[in-house]
Amino acid sequence: MIAYNVNDVDSTAELLERCKKDIQLRLDVEKEFGIDCLSKDNVNMGMKILAHQYCKYSGKTWNEIKDLRSPMDVIPLKDVILPIIKYDDDKLQAMLERLKQQVVSPGRKGYEEQFIFKGLKYSIGVGGIHSVNTPEIIIPKEDEMLIDSDVASLYPSMIIKFGFYPRHLGEVFLQAYEGTLKERLEAKHTKNETKNIAYKYCLNGVSGNMQSPVSFCYDPLSVMRIRMNGQLLLLMLAEKLTQIGCRIIQINTKSPLVF
């Protein structure tokens, strides 16, 4: 029995040592925002902070917003896709027109289409864009460059740029969201790591929570707008890159790999 208990104590002490930074962050967040988040994972902690920020900007209480939702049973993609999305290539434009004719259910599963463009097989649909690659080794020549380019804060940027916020929370959500982004940038500048990291989780967790029926941010139409337009804009970027002589060798929801 003693050996058993010693093992438990040692294991707990080791877990505490490994999680020390995460635990300290939550203690600091509790002190900074008055939020009980010691047992929350990063995403849930971020959403607690976002709710706190929204209430601060809107003047509402948590009880007034906690049960708000914007559910939808079906989503016509023609109501989702931005008018700025267009392609020079006839095959890509035809794919876009087919996409606009689809009516899909909320969630990541549903319509998907595969096509080949400039030698690379693409898969596009409600779940995101990605290339269909076979295993290979690519070694650039001396006069070539292999570039892995990641879009910085794609989803948060789209929320702000295009107003893809939870509709039931109104435009004040954007004020709270942009205000939180500014506070994060200021925290990075002043090296306030608590606010910097906490606000990072706060900003990045919104799109996922917009597809969760248990979240006060639930709005499948808005998250579909983010997902669909994000991948279509990336495809526009891929097309433009091929027009200046680049070859796309891999692409996923947030980044292209350019050769």
Side-chain angles (χ1 to χ4, degrees):
M1 180 66 73
I2 292 174
Y4 180 87
N5 287 334
V6 167
N7 178 72
D8 277 4
V9 171
D10 288 344
S11 299
T12 303
E14 178 64 22
L15 180 63
L16 175 62
E17 184 64 30
R18 294 187 183 190
C19 299
K20 186 177 293 184
K21 288 185 178 180
D22 290 330
I23 293 172
Q24 187 59 52
L25 172 63
R26 283 152 179 76
L27 293 174
D28 292 340
V29 166
E30 288 187 0
K31 183 178 180 181
E32 181 76 37
F33 299 99
I35 295 172
D36 181 11
C37 61
L38 191 58
S39 62
K40 302 290 184 184
D41 61 23
N42 292 336
V43 173
N44 282 313
M45 178 178 66
M47 294 309 296
K48 292 273 284 186
I49 296 170
L50 181 63
H52 174 273
Q53 292 289 91
Y54 179 79
C55 291
K56 182 176 74 172
Y57 277 81
S58 67
K60 296 181 179 180
T61 66
W62 170 243
N63 284 334
E64 291 178 294
I65 69 169
K66 65 183 179 70
D67 295 321
L68 297 178
R69 307 287 190 276
S70 290
M72 288 189 72
D73 294 326
V74 294
I75 301 175
L77 292 187
K78 64 181 178 61
D79 298 335
V80 167
I81 298 172
L82 290 167
I84 62 172
I85 304 293
K86 58 184 64 176
Y87 302 98
D88 298 323
D89 184 85
D90 291 341
K91 181 185 292 186
L92 296 183
Q93 189 62 31
M95 176 276 302
L96 177 63
E97 296 306 320
R98 289 194 299 273
L99 201 60
K100 290 179 180 179
Q101 296 172 14
Q102 303 300 316
V103 177
V104 301
S105 300
R108 292 183 178 273
K109 295 182 179 179
Y111 180 77
E112 181 181 7
E113 182 169 341
Q114 293 188 353
F115 56 90
I116 295 175
F117 176 64
K118 301 296 183 181
L120 180 65
K121 189 174 184 179
Y122 290 78
S123 174
I124 197 166
V126 297
I129 187 173
H130 65 271
S131 52
V132 182
N133 296 87
T134 55
E136 61 181 326
I137 297 174
I138 297 176
I139 302 175
K141 300 176 183 178
E142 290 186 3
D143 60 344
E144 295 176 330
M145 294 179 64
L146 182 63
I147 302 172
D148 184 9
S149 181
D150 183 60
V151 180
S153 302
L154 176 61
Y155 285 179
S157 297
M158 293 185 68
I159 291 172
I160 294 172
K161 172 70 175 178
F162 301 112
F164 293 155
Y165 54 85
R167 290 166 294 158
H168 53 277
L169 297 179
E171 290 190 11
V172 69
F173 180 89
L174 280 184
Q175 299 173 21
Y177 198 77
E178 286 189 82
T180 301
L181 177 59
K182 291 177 181 177
E183 288 187 52
R184 189 202 171 196
L185 294 176
E186 176 63 23
K188 289 181 71 174
H189 179 71
T190 59
K191 301 189 184 306
N192 184 332
E193 282 303 299
T194 297
K195 280 192 172 182
N196 177 29
I197 298 174
Y199 283 149
K200 173 186 175 182
Y201 296 138
C202 173
L203 295 166
N204 290 345
V206 173
S207 60
N209 273 267
M210 279 199 280
Q211 64 188 26
S212 171
V214 300
S215 172
F216 77 102
C217 288
Y218 182 59
D219 185 352
L221 177 64
S222 290
V223 75
M224 187 69 73
R225 284 173 171 162
I226 294 172
R227 288 207 305 262
M228 290 306 304
N229 289 294
Q231 61 184 305
L232 294 174
L233 286 168
L234 276 179
L235 187 58
M236 284 180 65
L237 173 61
E239 182 186 40
K240 297 301 182 186
L241 288 170
T242 62
Q243 290 173 352
I244 61 172
C246 297
R247 179 166 69 96
I248 309 298
I249 60 174
Q250 186 269 340
I251 192 168
N252 62 36
T253 302
K254 295 185 180 180
S255 66
L257 186 60
V258 183
F259 186 54

